[in-house]
Amino acid sequence: MRRWLKRLRGTLVMALLWAVGWGLAGLLIGVSSLLLPWLPWDAFFAVFDAPLPALAVPGFFGGALFSVVLSLGERRRRFDELSVRRFAGWGALGGLLLSMIPTSALLLGSSSRWPLAAIIMVPVTLLSAASAAGSLWLARRANGHQELEGGRAVDDLWLTDGLARDLMTRAK
């Protein structure tokens, strides 16, 4: 039972971290659209008409999905066996799975909406890959490179065990 609580806590921390990151990415998009008006922002804003910090919502679900995908795919591996590229790959897979929800809803209406589906799928997949790489960087930085690479399995540590501890001590 304790192991499931540890996994749930790690998933929640990962989801919250991604939500904050994606919310900040949304704000950055908004600022960029004001500072760089000559870039073709119309395609993005035609699809995403919510307030830009609302990217935190898919970020939350993307972080949770990544946490599950990582635990299933890398259960028997240690952190010293995982590279940033591998983490990014799992993040991209999680982003691809996450983007299937709005993509399937779009394609149910008409198969001619593939370009619109790609506008959703590509950025979500890339942002998920970047978020996964950033998550590994944060985890290594928070725990000290030696502790993460000390041979603990991904399934035992659940990625954010030490990161959650570090964030809680910094909050005090």
Side-chain angles (χ1 to χ4, degrees), residues 87-144:
F87 255 68
W90 287 117
L93 177 64
L96 191 62
L97 292 173
L98 179 67
S99 67
M100 287 298 164
I101 297 167
T103 301
S104 61
L106 273 173
L107 295 178
L108 282 177
S110 170
S111 62
S112 66
R113 295 185 180 175
W114 272 109
L116 190 58
I119 290 174
I120 294 172
M121 196 176 296
V122 171
V124 168
T125 302
L126 292 176
L127 191 54
S128 294
S131 297
S135 297
L136 180 61
W137 179 80
L138 273 175
R140 285 180 176 171
R141 185 174 162 104
N143 290 330

Side-chain angles (χ1 to χ4, degrees), residues 58-74:
F60 180 86
F61 290 108
L65 189 60
F66 165 72
S67 191
V68 170
V69 166
L70 179 69
S71 72
L72 294 175
E74 299 293 346

Side-chain angles (χ1 to χ4, degrees), residues 29-87:
I29 290 169
V31 169
S32 299
S33 70
L34 294 174
L35 295 177
L36 309 168
W38 60 87
L39 293 177
W41 294 104
D42 297 337
F44 176 79
F45 290 119
V47 174
F48 194 78
D49 61 350
L52 291 171
L55 279 176
V57 174
F60 180 86
F61 290 108
L65 189 60
F66 165 72
S67 191
V68 170
V69 166
L70 179 69
S71 72
L72 294 175
E74 299 293 346
R75 179 169 296 202
R76 304 280 186 246
R77 296 203 185 246
R78 297 185 324 258
F79 271 97
D80 60 340
E81 297 174 339
L82 298 174
S83 65
V84 174
R85 180 180 294 163
R86 196 168 182 94
F87 255 68

Side-chain angles (χ1 to χ4, degrees), residues 142 162-172:
L163 182 58
R165 240 188 350 257
D166 185 59
L167 291 174
M168 292 166 118
T169 56
R170 287 185 187 186
K172 290 178 183 177

